[in-house]
Amino acid sequence: TRLPVSKVDRAASSDANSKWEDAHQRWSVRQRFEKVFAAAGADGTVLKLAARPKIVMIDAFVPKPDQDSGSADLFWYMRIFHAFGYQVSFIAAFEEQPLESYADALRRWGVRVQYATDLDHLNHLVLEESRDAQVVLVQRVVVARHVICALRERQVSAKIVFGTVDLHYLREERIAIHERSPEALDYALTLRREELRAMSLSDATIVVSRLEHDIVKAALPEVNVHRIPIPRMPVRSASTFADRSGVVFVGGFAHRPNIDAVMFLVDEIWPIVRRNLPSAELRVVGSNVTPEICALDNPAAGVKIVGFVQDLDEVMSTARLSVA
């Protein structure tokens, strides 16, 4: 006789399957790439076990992966390189009020975290850390404008990689044209020069989209540019489609395009959705919620401004659809 399976048993079985799939995925990645990254040097010679390669990563602030996508990108790069056997050294260029909880989380992963106090100190830290490094990853043009020239002038032997995060000048150009602002357009042109110069001085440049890749290659055909999709480890939910409901938008609101996106979604698109699905609910999740986003909260229209949450897994596992 077959015994009935309780909901608890099914949940436990689903959780075990999820953990196994995640572990197997990590193992598969390591099987494919670990020998390449951890056992061979740049010239193809086998490294001694004691000679761990080193990567220096520089960004404006200590990554806060639960706050914004750019932080999550860098956090995953750190974890990936650490898993491949690299020493990871991180320098925060403009951190004025450090949140040590985030820095401590990186240190627990074996990352060395340092803060620059001013531009002179920033260049000192970068040059000092880069002396014995194989790779220096510089994130964002606002950081690259201050450190890449210094690295080239000192003829640092490490490979210099410029991570754009996104093409800042492209976003600023679009804002300037939309607002018909001459000052904003001049600023976008300055950013464009600085961003293209950083690419020209680097050994490689990272972009995240095909559109950005094509724009860069059209402007600088000789530049070594690579499109690397945003790195994330997927989390499988135990919730079935029938258990889910509603729509979710996730984005940090210190990033202006996310503000524009939600305003457009709520004003132009959501009323059409509600006409067809009167009970549908839109949940807007993200850090640094602005007053104009808070004002969109409207239970009668099915719009709920949730704001910051520490764990996105529960949010994503209960929604039927996410809007990017």
Side-chain angles (χ1 to χ4, degrees):
T1 304
R2 187 175 180 181
L3 297 174
V5 180
S6 70
K7 288 185 178 180
V8 174
D9 292 334
R10 284 198 297 270
S13 176
S14 177
D15 186 51
N17 287 336
S18 176
K19 288 180 179 178
W20 164 248
E21 288 174 6
D22 288 345
H24 189 269
Q25 183 184 50
R26 291 192 294 271
W27 173 82
S28 297
V29 171
R30 291 286 292 272
Q31 285 289 98
R32 289 173 59 195
F33 298 115
E34 187 174 45
K35 289 183 180 179
V36 175
F37 282 90
D43 58 356
T45 58
V46 176
L47 295 172
K48 296 179 181 178
L49 289 176
R52 291 176 62 205
K54 178 180 177 181
I55 182 169
V56 180
M57 299 183 179
I58 311 145
D59 202 349
F61 308 102
V62 172
K64 303 168 183 64
D66 60 350
Q67 297 273 348
D68 65 275
S69 180
S71 288
D73 296 350
L74 189 61
F75 174 74
W76 277 107
Y77 278 137
M78 289 177 176
R79 289 186 60 173
I80 289 167
F81 275 95
H82 182 265
F84 285 152
Y86 275 72
Q87 302 175 62
V88 180
S89 175
F90 173 74
I91 299 169
F94 309 125
E95 193 81 65
E96 294 182 354
Q97 295 179 320
L99 291 173
E100 283 301 313
S101 58
Y102 289 100
D104 288 343
L106 296 180
R107 293 180 182 118
R108 286 194 292 273
W109 276 94
V111 177
R112 184 180 188 192
V113 179
Q114 298 181 85
Y115 304 101
T117 56
D118 53 39
L119 292 181
D120 288 340
H121 187 224
L122 171 63
N123 278 291
H124 170 76
L125 288 177
V126 170
L127 293 170
E128 187 69 20
E129 286 295 314
S130 301
R131 285 191 306 170
D132 57 346
Q134 281 70 40
V135 183
V136 178
L137 173 61
V138 184
Q139 292 282 88
R140 305 175 208 270
V141 65
V142 293
V143 178
R145 60 163 59 129
H146 297 296
V147 301
I148 289 182
C149 284
L151 287 166
R152 282 294 175 223
E153 288 169 0
R154 297 295 181 92
Q155 298 182 333
V156 171
S157 61
K159 297 294 185 183
I160 300 173
V161 180
F162 173 37
T164 58
V165 182
D166 57 19
L167 287 181
H168 285 55
Y169 82 83
L170 181 62
R171 181 175 72 243
E172 296 301 326
E173 279 181 356
R174 289 170 171 172
I175 293 173
I177 292 169
H178 178 68
E179 297 182 346
R180 298 176 61 84
S181 169
E183 296 81 10
L185 201 56
D186 287 342
Y187 174 65
L189 183 60
T190 299
L191 269 186
R192 184 179 191 274
R193 286 196 294 263
E194 291 179 339
E195 223 156 0
L196 295 181
R197 176 169 170 76
M199 295 173 191
S200 300
L201 292 173
S202 301
D203 295 293
T205 294
I206 298 172
V207 296
V208 300
S209 72
R210 287 188 176 90
L211 173 66
E212 290 178 330
H213 178 274
D214 294 345
I215 289 172
V216 171
K217 292 303 286 185
L220 297 172
E222 73 283 1
V223 161
N224 181 21
V225 58
H226 298 266
R227 182 183 68 86
I228 302 179
I230 293 171
R232 296 289 188 275
M233 183 68 75
V235 177
R236 187 178 297 276
S237 169
S239 301
T240 66
F241 186 75
D243 295 330
R244 299 164 178 260
S245 64
V247 178
V248 64
F249 178 97
V250 178
F253 293 101
H255 187 56
R256 180 169 171 179
N258 286 334
I259 297 175
D260 293 343
V262 170
M263 299 288 287
F264 184 78
L265 172 61
V266 172
D267 292 341
E268 304 291 336
I269 299 174
W270 193 246
I272 302 171
V273 175
R274 288 280 288 192
R275 282 200 295 270
N276 290 273
L277 299 169
S279 62
E281 182 183 63
L282 170 65
R283 298 185 289 275
V284 177
V285 178
S287 60
N288 301 297
V289 173
T290 64
E292 57 191 329
I293 295 296
C294 284
L296 297 174
D297 192 87
N298 184 352
V303 178
K304 182 177 182 181
I305 306 302
V306 178
F308 173 75
V309 297
Q310 287 188 321
D311 186 1
L312 282 177
D313 291 348
E314 183 177 351
V315 172
M316 302 302 288
S317 67
T318 58
R320 282 196 172 186
L321 183 74
S322 68
V323 180

